[in-house]
Structure formats: structure tokens, C-alpha cells
Amino acid sequence: MFHARDAQASPPVIRREDYAPPAYWIDTVDLSFDLDPTKTRVLNRMRVRRNAEQPPQPLRLDGDELNLARVLVNGQGTSFKMDGDQLVLDGLPDEFDLEIFTTCNPEKNTKLMGLYLSQDTFFTQCEAEGFRRITYFLDRPDVMASFSVTLRADRKRFPVLLSNGNLVEQGVLEDGRHFAKWVDPHRKPCYLFAIVAGCLAAREQRIVTESGSEHLLQIYVRPGDLDKTEHAMQSLMHSVAWDEARFGLKLDLERFMVVATSDFNMGAMENKGLNIFNTKYVLASPATATDVDFDGIESVIGHEYFHNWTGNRVTCRDWFQLSLKEGLTVFRDQEFSMDLARTASARAVKRIEDVRVLRTVQFPEDAGPMAHPVRPDQYAEINNFYTVTVYEKGAEVVRMYQTLLGREGFAKGLALYFERHDGQAVTCDDFAQAMSDANPGSTLALHLDQFKRWYSQAGTPRVTAVGQYDAEGQRYTLTLSQTCPATPGQAEKQPFVIPVIAGLVAPGQGDLAVSLHGGEPATAHTLVLTEPSQQFVFERVTAEPVPSLLRGFSAPVVLNQDLSDAELLALLAQDSDPFNAWEAGQRLLMRQLLAAVTGAGDLAAPLQADAVAALRSTLRRSDLDAAFKALVLTLPTESYLAEQLADVDPQRVHAVREAARRQLARDLAADWAWAFDEHEDNGSYRPDPVSSGRRSLAGLALGMLVELARETGDSVWPGKAYQRTKDAGNMTDRYAATAALVNAGHALAQPALTRFHDLFADDALVIDKWFALQAAAPDRGGDALGRVEALLRHPDFNARNPNRARSLIFSFTGNPAAFHRTDGAGYTFWREQLLAIDAFNPQVAARLARALDRWKKLAEPYRSAAHGELQKVAAHPSLSKDVREIVEKALAA
Ligand code: B3K
Ligand code: ZN
């Protein structure tokens, strides 16, 4: 007998160029839900109209895992057929009432798309294509309808019934049930639809905005969590005020609701007036959340709120335009956090953190098999394109408009965008056009078509800078040139428009006021590189300068610049741009670490004495914020180092970085002790940038001191850390102390972890940290995998909860030396977990699948082992299209 299994066919590809407007419009939708955990009944009454601009054709409605009971056209039973998952109706009048009755099973919905249950509460998630799992519909963002929704459910078990818009009616029904009717005053695409039903309590806040309108803000959580909602509410109030103050964008709803759930595939969702959030981005108290969590809540609350305009009032025509709303909204949430940070130094810290994410996650994506333009040209599964490229690189593209146009010009562009497109579903071209038209004669307007290559060309551009100083003529000539590497499907690239903010720093004097091409002298100029190579001539350059280029990271590019160690040290100490001061320090450290990795450097002490001395003086400076110092003193990550290499041996990279950490611990021992004592606070907790910066530096210092104790056998610092795990006044300090012991593999780590678990056994978000901490700890002699396998069997582990799966499994694959083992066992573990999760939640599995994106860059034996596991995944007979798309791309590259 012959048992060959046919390899599964590749999923069909959707192409941007195939876009066609819908053949029908749906003007109104009236939904009624009889909510029941195993059989929810959905009656969907629509008013449908043929789109006269399209050729006559049948109506094809999307559905997924629905049980269809009845279809009526104008109240009459009608014939229909099914084409795959689509319901097809033919011979329709130009305008008609369509009534569809279906049922679905929320309890069995493990994908967490559509209508599902989480802790006995109903939630929905519709973006991108989840509405079709609730009812048959034209599930595409350019079909916008007016929604009214009636919810019916058991009154005791589901006392709170919510949907988008305004509550217009509620009451009691027979058999212990009740109902609520909601009407959304704004037309919307179905991906913004939401309902929630369950036992929830709300923190409420009435506000009067700057312009005098009154609104009710509500944050719904499980009743026991109400005391953890204050920061989220504060963040929401700040968001409302900020959008009105900075962009004149007002809250357009009487009531704005946020609801938290512990089972959620991502961070949060901007459903109109009813945002649904992962608890991770709502719940915080000083005892349970770290400074990073507090910041995350502020920016995600801001992000979803800002979508109310950028995403909801003006939405995307099709999913290829996703960055229209996501890139823009990430840019807005970044600006929001920066504006709240107030001081220049705190703003720079936020910028550095954002750029770090871009460079450690997006740059690798842009160089790997999943590389795609900010506006992709094709996809098999749209959920795979909610990427750092669409989000974070998209935000950098929006930032470049602001850099080129100035803050005012950018605000004018945004105002014109809303004037033209409010209530519409539009494209990235429409956004670019509004920016340009609002700023006629600007550099952007002159180069608009070329600027738009940022949307169409993938890959991270390389900018090379070469300078020449003419002392006699007091002239400095800078030559900038650009290239962009090939990416899958794009061999040749055209030049980009690249804004390079530049200053000239004279060692000992600081920034020079220089003139560019004869213009007014200034200490910073925006150079706009549009050609493959271009010269910029600075005059009145009174001393030989060190060029400080790409200040504030003014474009998402890799800058190649041949600076000596001495020049980098000068920038670290003297650059007036804090981003570039940090950058100079990182370049210096990276150069020395890479030298050690590739063999030339000294493994016992990879860092040179002058670099260590510079770090020491940065640490000791009194004019810098602690948060900034902590960033300067943090070594580049292993994954960022790996990206700089052609042939990566992750164990070698790990060994070198760990050696450098030990060297810093040793060489700066007295300084770390000083830093810890100086920055340790015992006062009450506040999440502001100054105090969180102090905690961050104290935590870094403690980690170094405990690390050093491993070598010296000292017991004082581990003792102090252990004490802290017991009596810390807040989670940031407690977590840092526990991590210090765990990361150093100290004997006190176990009692500290046990205590930590006992203290927070009932708090899922803290238990997530407990798992993550152990899975992310440095690998020592291959012990990490066994640790993670044991944790997989822990009674608190549950792969069906996405937060828990991420905290253990993703933390492990994100721990390079633990994951990349010479015996390949980390990859086998990855495949097993991936396939197990794919069987019930393809979206989460597809994220995990990305862990081996960069397998081709690995040295042997990692590369063959990774390749083998990828092939085994690809050969699996029942992969989701989500995972299939990722692994096929990885193998094809
Ligand atoms: N718009 C949602 C993301 C939906 C993801 C669907 N796979 C959250 C956000 O970006 O605000
Ligand atoms: Zn978003």
C-alpha cells in the first residue's frame, strides 16, 4: 500500500492590484443576538443596495464556521448556493431587505476571532476578518453601514450587555433573561463592530473637554480588578485631551468604553466606542505592574483612542492600506507619549526605545523572507501582515512627513486629510496627497511620487556618509549616497527621499553654527537625500568637526559612517542630540563586541578600556537623567548583534555579550554600587519618567552586582537582592531583584521565585511574568530548555491563553542562546509547540512560526537543524493558512 500524503496546496494569494469596489452596499444592519455559550442565535437584517458603478453580478457574502438556518429576501424565502464559505445570492432586485439567521458556538471558538467566551464573558474580535464568523456579510472595510444591535442573555450570568454607540433601550425578559439595544450613530465597517456580555464592573469618569462637550468614560473589568484601573483611566483622559489640543480632534461619542479580557490574541482593538483590551494593557497597580507595564498601558490606551479618528472616522479602503491607519496611529501614540514625557531627555528616552524596537525587530523582518513594503502587494492571510513593518516602519514614514513639513505643516496636512475624507474608506495615496496639497511648494510636494516609494519598496536603505574638511576654506563637504538591498520579489530599488538631520560637532566646542549652501547659520540642518549620491556643502565651519547625522533617527535607514573610536567618544560625550549621543555609545560597543565575535577581540574582556571609561563617566554625570544613562549602559541585544553578521553562531554571540556584561560588572563594580545606592528610592510609587528612570538604573546596577557576585563569591549583593524580592514597595523593584538572582543563576533564585509565585498566585498577569522571567533567563550549559519543558507541565500553564503561551514559549524562542542549541532540540520544541497551538489558534501559531525567519543566516549546525524543522512543519498535513504562508516564505527565501 502506498501512503504518500499529498502536500497541502498553497493558500490562494490576494493581490492589491485586483481590488474592485464592492458589487453591493449594505446601508443598515440590525443585529439581534440570543447569547448562549454553546449556541448563540444571530438574526441579521440588512438593507442592501446594488452598486450601480459595478457590473451586475451575484451577491457573495462571507461566512466562516456558521450554521445557516434561513435566508429571506424582502421577507420571502429564496434560493441560494454556497461557494466554499461564501453564501451566493443571484437574481436580486436593485434594493432589498435581506434577513439571515445563523447560529454559532462561542464556547468552541478557540481562535478568539468572531464571538468567543473568556472567563464566562462574551467578547468579539472582528479585525481583520472575524465578523464573518458572527454572521454572513460583506466582510471588507470599504462597506460601511449603520448598525443597531439587540442583545439578549441570561440576566444573572451576563448582567452587563454592551455594543458600539449609545444604549437606547434595556429591560427584563421572561425566563430570567434581559436585553439591551444599542445604536451606533456613526457608520462603520464591520471590523469595528463589537459586543461584550458578562459580569463586569466599571470605573466611570465624566469629563468636559476643552471645547465644552460632556462625555462618559468607562473602563469595564472583572469586579475584583476595579482597583487596578486608575492608570488606564488617567491615560484615557490624557488621550482625549491630547488629541484635541495637538490636532484639534475631538471625542465624537457620548460614551467611550474600554473593556478588558484576559484571552486576547493581541494588545487591544479599537472597535468604535467599545475598545476591547488585553488585560495586560489595562490593569495596573504599583504592587503588580512594572514601569514598563505602566508605559505600555499609556501608549496602548492612547493608540486605540487615537484610532477613533485615524482608522474609524477615516478607514482603509482595503487591507493592503493597513498602514494608513496603523502607521499613522503608532506615530500618534509615540508623539503622545513623548509629549507627556515633557523633558527633552525623557522625550529622547522614548525615541530611543522606539528605535530600538524598529532596529531589533523590523530591520530583521525587512531583511528576511517576510520582507514586504509598508503597503504590501499581496497576502495569503491578512493577519500575517499586522507586522512591525506596517506598524513601526509605517510610523517612521509618517514621522518623515513631519520632519519634512515641520509640525505645523504636518498638522495642516492632517486637517486636510480629514476635511477631504471624513467618513470614507481611503488609501495611502489619499493620505500622501493631502499632506502634499496642504503644503504646496514644500520639499515633499516637489518629490511626492518619489517619497511614496517608502510605501512600495521593501528593505532597509543603506546611507553612506563620507565627509571632507577644508580647514582653509572653513568648508565641510558631506557626500551622502544610498542603496537598498534586494528583497523577495524586488530585485531593483529606486532611490528614496531620505531626510537626514545633521549637525557638526567640534570636539571641545560642541555644536557649530554652520551654513548650508550659503543659507542662514544653524546648529542643525535637514539634508534631503533624493539622488543615489549627493553632496552637501557646509560653510563657516571653524574647526574640524565630527558629523552627527540622522539625529533623532530622522529616517528608517542603516547609516554607514566611518567614525573612529575617538570620534564616537566625542559624540557620546558632547552631541547635543541625546539620541545620537546614545547611538555613538552603542556603535562603539557594537564594534568591539562584533570584533570579539568574529575572533579578533579578546573574549575575557571584549570591551576596550576607553569605552569602559566612557561608560563610567556617563554613569557618573550629574547632568543626565537616570533613564538615559541606563540606556547608554545597556549593551546591544544578541539579536541586534546577530543581524550585523553574515554567518551567525548564536552561542558565540551569547558568550561574547555575557563576557562583556561580566567585564562591565567587574570594571565598574564601585560605580554600580554607587548607582544602586544613589538611585534606590523608598518613597511612594509614581510611574513618572524621572522616578521610573531611577528604578531602571538601580535595577540595572543590581543585576550587574549580583552577576559580579558569581565570580567573587560575594554574598552581600545577592543578599540585598533577595531582601528586595521580599520587601520591595513596587513590582518594578521586586521584578528587577528577582530577575537579578534568576539571571545570575544564584542559589537564592529558587526561594525568590517560590515566594513570588505564592504572593501572586491569583494574579494572572504577574504569573505571566513569573513564567517569562524563567524562560528568558540566560542559558547556562543548555539548562534553559529543560526548565521550560518543566514549566510547560506546571499546573498554571495553559497554551490556550495567549498571554500565557507568549510568556513561556515566545520568551524561550526570544532567548537566543536557549533556543539555538547545537543539538537542535530548541527547534524541535518550537515545531511541537507550533503545531499544537496551530490546531486551535492559528493567529498565535503564525506569530510563533516567525521565530525561524532568519534561519538562513545561521551558521552550521544550527542552519541545517532549523531547515529540517521548517520542512517538517511544512509537511504537516493540516496546517492553517496562517502558518503555511509563513513557513513557505521562510523555505522559499
Ligand atoms: N487594529 C488592531 C489590530 C487587529 C489585529 C488583527 N489581527 C489593534 C491595533 O492596532 O490597534
Ligand atoms: Zn492600531
Side-chain angles (χ1 to χ4, degrees):
M1 219 18 218
F2 188 57
H3 281 291
R5 276 199 203 110
D6 272 354
Q8 224 180 337
S10 299
V13 168
I14 319 287
R15 288 174 213 284
R16 184 164 65 86
E17 64 195 18
D18 292 342
Y19 172 82
Y24 292 83
W25 300 109
I26 300 176
D27 293 319
T28 63
V29 189
D30 183 31
L31 291 167
S32 22
F33 288 83
D34 276 295
L35 291 165
D36 180 278
T38 54
K39 189 177 183 184
T40 286
R41 301 186 303 157
V42 183
L43 179 62
N44 171 5
R45 291 200 187 96
M46 294 166 273
R47 184 73 191 157
V48 186
R49 173 165 56 93
R50 201 172 80 73
N51 179 358
E53 284 158 26
Q54 289 298 106
Q57 54 194 290
L59 170 62
R60 309 180 72 90
L61 297 171
D62 306 298
D64 181 24
E65 292 188 46
L66 297 172
N67 305 305
L68 177 59
R70 189 172 76 222
V71 183
L72 302 179
V73 171
N74 288 330
Q76 303 292 309
T78 180
S79 66
F80 59 84
K81 60 177 198 209
M82 300 301 302
D83 180 5
D85 284 333
Q86 287 187 328
L87 169 63
V88 185
L89 296 167
D90 210 348
L92 294 163
D94 281 352
E95 261 192 79
F96 53 97
D97 291 322
L98 177 59
E99 188 175 314
I100 297 178
F101 185 70
T102 51
T103 65
C104 59
N105 185 346
E107 207 171 75
K108 285 269 156 65
N109 184 355
T110 58
K111 295 183 181 172
L112 312 184
M113 284 297 279
L115 178 65
Y116 66 94
L117 269 182
S118 160
Q119 297 192 314
D120 213 36
T121 298
F122 289 98
F123 290 95
T124 53
Q125 170 57 35
C126 294
E127 188 178 359
E129 298 177 335
F131 191 72
R132 63 186 64 185
R133 293 168 59 77
I134 297 173
T135 183
Y136 284 98
F137 206 73
L138 291 173
D139 191 357
R140 44 187 291 167
D142 55 354
V143 171
M144 298 169 87
S146 297
F147 281 73
S148 56
V149 179
T150 304
L151 302 171
R152 285 184 286 268
D154 186 88
R155 213 168 113 204
K156 281 222 180 65
R157 197 165 161 197
F158 307 107
V160 173
L161 304 174
L162 307 174
S163 188
N164 319 83
N166 297 316
L167 178 64
V168 295
E169 210 185 326
Q170 58 184 327
V172 175
L173 298 166
E174 293 166 359
D175 303 336
R177 291 173 80 78
H178 69 148
F179 79 95
K181 181 168 183 188
W182 292 81
V183 174
D184 190 342
H186 299 276
R187 287 166 71 243
K188 64 172 177 287
C190 65
Y191 82 86
L192 292 173
F193 165 85
I195 62 172
V196 174
C199 184
L200 299 164
R203 174 185 290 263
E204 302 198 333
Q205 178 78 48
R206 288 183 190 279
I207 57 163
V208 181
T209 63
E210 194 60 33
S211 52
S213 57
E214 290 178 33
H215 311 267
L216 173 63
L217 308 181
Q218 295 177 306
I219 297 185
Y220 284 90
V221 294
R222 304 210 321 144
D225 286 330
L226 262 189
D227 58 342
K228 298 198 187 101
T229 53
E230 186 187 338
H231 181 66
M233 183 59 89
Q234 287 296 325
S235 302
L236 183 55
M237 290 163 68
H238 285 141
S239 305
V240 176
W242 181 84
D243 218 9
E244 187 165 345
R246 170 94 184 248
F247 292 116
L249 299 174
K250 299 180 176 58
L251 177 53
D252 60 3
L253 293 153
E254 290 163 32
R255 179 204 279 248
F256 189 87
M257 297 170 279
V258 166
V259 191
T261 170
S262 51
D263 294 283
F264 209 58
N265 282 345
M266 62 260 173
M269 176 65 213
E270 71 267 22
N271 316 301
K272 186 77 186 184
L274 181 58
N275 290 356
I276 296 180
F277 271 62
N278 189 323
T279 45
K280 182 173 164 58
Y281 293 108
V282 174
L283 302 180
S285 73
T288 60
T290 62
D291 292 327
V292 173
D293 298 325
F294 274 83
D295 285 351
I297 289 169
E298 181 182 278
S299 69
V300 178
I301 289 264
H303 182 95
E304 306 311 330
Y305 176 76
F306 303 141
H307 266 315
N308 192 46
W309 278 92
T310 49
N312 301 4
R313 287 289 287 252
V314 180
T315 193
C316 303
R317 186 193 72 174
D318 55 74
W319 290 123
F320 296 103
Q321 318 298 328
L322 185 57
S323 199
L324 173 78
K325 73 179 179 80
E326 296 305 348
L328 176 54
T329 306
V330 171
F331 168 76
R332 276 153 52 67
D333 84 53
Q334 291 177 347
E335 289 288 287
F336 166 63
S337 296
M338 278 205 250
D339 286 354
L340 285 193
R342 290 195 192 91
T343 68
S345 163
R347 290 180 72 90
V349 165
K350 167 70 179 153
R351 183 69 184 136
I352 291 168
E353 286 165 350
D354 291 339
V355 172
R356 244 187 358 186
V357 171
L358 187 83
R359 291 206 293 216
T360 54
V361 193
Q362 197 278 327
F363 281 18
E365 176 168 279
D366 230 350
M370 264 292 286
H372 54 276
V374 164
R375 173 161 64 185
D377 292 315
Q378 55 180 66
Y379 60 75
E381 170 51 62
I382 182 57
N383 284 316
N384 286 335
F385 286 81
Y386 286 74
T387 58
V388 277
T389 297
V390 167
Y391 277 63
E392 271 71 23
K393 186 177 182 179
E396 294 301 322
V397 173
V398 175
R399 185 170 296 283
M400 287 190 285
Y401 287 104
Q402 180 169 272
T403 302
L404 291 168
L405 299 172
R407 266 166 89 119
E408 251 176 63
F410 180 81
K412 275 205 284 186
L414 201 61
L416 183 60
Y417 172 66
F418 288 118
E419 194 183 306
R420 285 183 179 170
H421 301 298
D422 191 10
Q424 300 174 6
V426 304
T427 65
C428 298
D429 296 311
D430 296 317
F431 181 82
Q433 200 59 50
M435 282 289 153
S436 172
D437 291 353
N439 296 278
S442 61
T443 318
L444 175 77
L446 293 178
H447 299 280
L448 184 65
D449 287 338
Q450 189 183 344
F451 182 83
K452 282 164 61 178
R453 289 176 189 154
W454 284 108
Y455 291 99
S456 58
Q457 298 189 137
T460 306
R462 267 62 179 158
V463 172
T464 302
V466 180
Q468 208 182 12
Y469 182 54
D470 162 13
E472 213 155 292
Q474 300 201 330
R475 193 173 295 124
Y476 186 81
T477 306
L478 183 69
T479 307
L480 296 180
S481 45
Q482 58 167 313
T483 57
C484 182
T487 49
Q490 289 187 339
E492 301 292 329
K493 316 273 171 150
Q494 303 296 311
F496 291 87
V497 176
I498 303 177
V500 178
I501 300 184
L504 297 182
V505 179
Q509 299 176 43
D511 281 6
L512 297 173
V514 295
S515 90
L516 172 66
H517 299 149
E520 281 298 301
T523 54
H525 295 273
T526 303
L527 316 178
V528 184
L529 176 62
T530 54
E531 303 293 323
S533 181
Q534 238 167 299
Q535 282 200 338
F536 298 89
V537 182
F538 297 92
E539 272 144 4
R540 304 207 202 176
V541 185
T542 51
E544 172 147 26
V546 183
S548 166
L549 304 178
L550 210 68
R551 281 182 165 176
F553 201 67
S554 55
V557 302
V558 171
L559 176 64
N560 295 321
Q561 196 186 2
D562 221 352
L563 294 182
S564 66
D565 285 6
E567 288 173 312
L568 289 173
L569 287 167
L571 291 179
L572 171 59
Q574 295 172 46
D575 200 320
S576 65
D577 181 62
F579 179 88
N580 266 11
W582 168 80
E583 174 77 341
Q586 293 287 300
R587 275 176 189 261
L588 188 66
L589 294 171
M590 191 153 80
R591 181 182 292 175
Q592 297 177 6
L593 290 168
L594 291 175
V597 171
T598 52
D602 174 5
L603 236 190
L607 304 177
Q608 285 164 26
D610 53 356
V612 175
L615 292 183
R616 176 183 294 115
S617 49
T618 305
L619 182 57
R620 293 282 188 162
R621 266 169 70 173
S622 56
D623 59 328
L624 296 175
D625 279 359
F628 179 76
K629 293 182 187 184
L631 289 171
V632 172
L633 281 126
T634 299
L635 296 169
T637 61
E638 287 170 34
S639 54
Y640 189 52
L641 291 166
E643 277 305 310
Q644 321 304 316
L645 298 160
D647 226 9
V648 183
D649 177 347
Q651 295 296 339
R652 173 85 185 161
V653 173
H654 176 67
V656 168
R657 189 175 183 277
E658 285 297 289
R661 257 179 24 98
R662 283 194 300 276
Q663 183 188 359
L664 280 185
R666 201 165 53 232
D667 294 358
L668 302 183
D671 308 278
W672 293 122
W674 166 84
F676 181 79
D677 292 339
E678 193 70 16
H679 296 91
E680 184 198 20
D681 283 330
N682 291 313
S684 68
Y685 176 87
R686 288 195 315 137
D688 63 280
V690 172
S691 39
S692 76
R694 294 174 61 85
R695 282 186 291 271
S696 151
L697 188 55
L700 179 68
L702 187 60
M704 288 294 190
L705 292 159
V706 176
E707 180 68 38
L708 181 60
R710 268 165 29 92
E711 281 182 18
T712 61
D714 156 61
S715 60
V716 175
W717 284 105
K720 279 198 194 190
Y722 187 59
Q723 190 56 33
R724 218 161 220 240
T725 66
K726 296 196 210 164
D727 63 15
N730 59 72
M731 179 52 83
T732 307
D733 289 342
R734 188 187 301 274
Y735 187 84
T738 312
L741 294 168
V742 172
N743 290 343
H746 197 278
L748 288 170
Q750 204 44 56
L753 283 168
T754 304
R755 228 190 124 73
F756 190 99
H757 187 278
D758 290 350
L759 265 178
F760 299 103
D762 296 330
D763 191 318
L765 294 172
V766 184
I767 298 302
D768 289 339
K769 295 185 198 306
W770 183 82
F771 278 100
L773 193 55
Q774 298 176 74
D779 189 77
R780 295 188 195 285
D783 66 344
L785 180 57
R787 202 163 60 216
V788 169
E789 280 170 337
L791 286 168
L792 210 56
R793 294 187 295 270
H794 191 281
D796 287 347
F797 184 73
N798 168 18
R800 296 198 175 225
N801 174 254
N803 285 358
R804 194 56 51 85
R806 285 186 279 259
S807 73
L808 182 60
I809 301 167
F810 290 51
S811 298
F812 169 74
T813 56
N815 181 350
F819 180 44
H820 300 280
R821 296 163 56 105
T822 47
D823 65 1
Y827 308 146
T828 306
F829 174 82
W830 165 83
R831 168 176 49 85
E832 288 163 357
Q833 299 308 314
L834 172 62
L835 294 176
I837 295 175
D838 194 39
F840 58 84
N841 190 332
Q843 254 183 73
V844 171
R847 295 275 153 167
L848 183 58
R850 302 284 312 269
L852 278 181
D853 262 16
R854 304 295 276 140
W855 68 275
K856 279 220 162 155
K857 235 178 143 38
L858 295 169
E860 291 297 356
Y862 311 98
R863 184 187 158 113
S864 295
H867 188 207
E869 294 297 343
L870 273 165
Q871 283 176 317
K872 283 189 194 162
V873 172
H876 193 268
S878 58
L879 281 188
S880 66
K881 73 170 163 171
D882 308 56
V883 169
R884 178 156 301 282
E885 179 172 35
I886 303 293
V887 296
E888 281 183 357
K889 286 200 166 157
L891 287 168

